[in-house]
Amino acid sequence: MTRHRSRPHAWIAAFLALVALPAALLVPPAPASAANTLTMLGADVSSVQRSLDLGARYYDAAGTARDPLDILKGLGVNYVRLRVWNNPASGWNNKARVLAYARTVKAKGLKLMIDFHYSDTWADPGKQYKPAAWASHGIGQLQTDVYNYTYDVCSSLKAQGTTPDSVQIGNEINVGMLWNDGKVVNNDFTNLSLLLKAGYQATKQCNGGTQVIIHTANADSMANARWFYDGIRAKGVQWDLTALSYYCMWHGSLANLYNVITDVRSRYGRPVVLTETAYPFTAANADGEPNSINGGEPCAGHPASWSGQATEFAWVQNTARDAGAVGVFYWEPTWYAVPGNGWDPANINGTGNQWDNMAIFNWTGQVNPNIRWTP
């Protein structure tokens, strides 16, 4: 999730002036068609274990209490994304918790994506903190750390019969990961490329069929996306899927999203997936924690309402589909306001939920009756 939007550095700004946008790409998203299909219909439900343990209930459109994964399956979901933190203070989203919930995910017949943050807390464009255990490690040791940790989590999942179908090597790594050693400075992708290669090799040695994803929040800018993916490609980094985050309030229009997807898909020859998107169903706030997104109409034409949320999500899927992407994931659709399931892993009981108006379940667990994942 993108908690803080970072403005491009001066050297990125300089690069922008060098990139000409092909006229053929400057087109609005086409109407939905059957020409392309979204095969990865996903939901990141990383917070749901904690919600359920705290007594949260989830109700389908008929008002029947059901397992949230069953409700999501009924709405079209076929893929679940789970973040993994190295040693979070709360204990949630650590390896043991992910292993436990992976069994539930696979038992439901759903595919599994593991999102490695390589941190004890949130990693996003504005922050990529090393886990405490790696704090003093330089780039040489960090390569070993990334390899060993990735292989350990993947092989542990494989050993219990829940081999991940895909993994992300880093989360929204717009300017690198495991800062400062893995940060891209002065256009030098060397250190980042070493870390990404270590993660790729560990994944493939664990299970050759698991797809490796490189994820940025660069859906806002074709130039930024080119700068990043050109940079890692030039260093010999391999990956299987190109992933982007798209939130209209931060990343701009659907026409721009269409252009970015089509460009990175053709430029790098890899399938593209939106591993994060979401939209509010209300402008109200359920707790004392300020919402990440506010306003009655955060993106023009889509009110913060059940219908506005469903329409925005449908339009994102249509745009992704028509641009040739293969999947769209809703970020934390099950994370409604449950006391004790706060956003800060260092104070999970004492903080509220910044996403309570962005879930597809309201504050008593009723699902948005209009929302669907569509192939």
Side-chain angles (χ1 to χ4, degrees):
M1 174 186 143
T2 310
R3 292 195 168 274
H4 302 288
R5 301 302 305 150
S6 301
R7 294 190 179 277
H9 294 269
W11 37 269
I12 299 181
F15 176 79
L16 304 186
L18 300 177
V19 180
L21 303 183
L25 293 177
L26 299 177
V27 296
S33 71
N36 301 310
T37 300
L38 298 177
T39 57
M40 300 171 71
L41 303 170
D44 185 316
V45 296
S46 298
S47 69
V48 78
Q49 282 178 285
R50 172 75 173 175
S51 293
L52 290 168
D53 280 5
L54 290 169
R57 302 290 297 277
Y58 293 87
Y59 300 89
D60 64 19
T64 302
R66 299 173 61 198
D67 184 287
L69 290 184
D70 290 332
I71 296 174
L72 292 174
K73 277 190 71 174
L75 301 178
V77 168
N78 64 13
Y79 220 125
V80 164
R81 179 184 190 240
L82 299 177
R83 65 177 167 268
V84 60
W85 288 332
N86 290 44
N87 188 28
S90 66
W92 297 89
N93 302 123
N94 64 8
K95 174 189 167 183
R97 299 284 187 182
V98 169
L99 285 170
Y101 203 62
R103 289 192 288 268
T104 301
V105 169
K106 288 287 191 173
K108 299 287 186 183
L110 297 163
K111 291 190 174 182
L112 175 66
M113 179 191 297
I114 300 298
D115 177 13
F116 286 97
H117 283 226
Y118 301 112
S119 181
D120 296 331
T121 187
W122 301 102
D124 60 41
K127 54 187 178 294
Q128 296 280 335
Y129 305 130
K130 292 179 186 177
W134 304 354
S136 64
H137 296 178
I139 189 62
Q141 181 61 45
L142 287 171
Q143 292 176 71
T144 301
D145 293 334
V146 168
Y147 181 94
N148 289 343
Y149 182 71
T150 305
Y151 186 83
D152 176 59
V153 173
C154 179
S155 60
S156 296
L157 286 163
K158 183 178 180 179
Q160 68 173 18
T162 60
T163 303
D165 298 280
S166 59
V167 303
Q168 283 187 205
I169 307 301
N171 186 75
E172 294 188 329
I173 56 172
N174 292 27
V175 289
M177 66 191 210
L178 291 167
W179 294 353
N180 286 321
D181 298 82
K183 191 171 188 177
V184 180
V185 178
N186 295 327
N187 298 316
D188 186 354
F189 284 82
T190 301
N191 282 4
L192 175 60
S193 72
L194 294 173
L195 299 174
L196 295 177
K197 288 175 182 178
Y200 181 91
Q201 291 164 2
T203 302
K204 294 302 184 179
Q205 290 190 19
C206 168
N207 184 64
T210 297
Q211 294 183 300
V212 173
I213 297 168
I214 305 295
H215 173 216
T216 68
N218 282 330
D220 59 324
S221 169
M222 189 186 300
N224 287 351
R226 286 182 176 185
W227 172 83
F228 179 88
Y229 291 104
D230 280 3
I232 64 170
R233 181 175 63 176
K235 292 292 184 179
V237 173
Q238 299 180 70
W239 72 99
D240 301 314
L241 292 169
T242 302
L244 302 167
S245 295
Y246 175 74
Y247 299 94
C248 61
M249 63 290 297
W250 293 321
H251 296 115
S253 70
L254 290 170
N256 183 69
L257 173 65
Y258 178 92
N259 292 336
V260 174
I261 292 173
T262 55
D263 186 66
V264 298
R265 182 173 60 86
S266 62
R267 191 174 183 87
Y268 306 109
R270 294 167 173 85
V272 178
V273 58
L274 300 183
T275 51
E276 295 188 26
T277 193
Y279 199 73
F281 70 86
T282 179
N285 185 12
D287 57 27
E289 195 75 39
N291 290 338
S292 292
I293 305 301
N294 297 291
E297 191 176 283
C299 298
H302 298 289
S305 65
W306 275 152
S307 60
Q309 181 185 66
T311 300
E312 168 66 18
F313 185 49
W315 285 20
V316 169
Q317 291 179 85
N318 289 346
T319 302
R321 181 186 302 107
D322 289 308
V326 298
V328 176
F329 284 67
Y330 198 103
W331 196 79
E332 289 282 13
T334 56
W335 196 14
Y336 74 86
V338 179
N341 198 7
W343 71 271
D344 184 358
N347 187 18
I348 196 168
N349 288 305
T351 51
N353 180 354
Q354 298 180 356
W355 213 247
D356 56 51
N357 65 329
M358 302 286 284
I360 69 164
F361 294 85
N362 68 13
W363 303 333
T364 53
Q366 281 77 29
V367 73
N368 182 344
N370 307 311
I371 206 158
R372 297 290 185 276
W373 282 254
T374 55

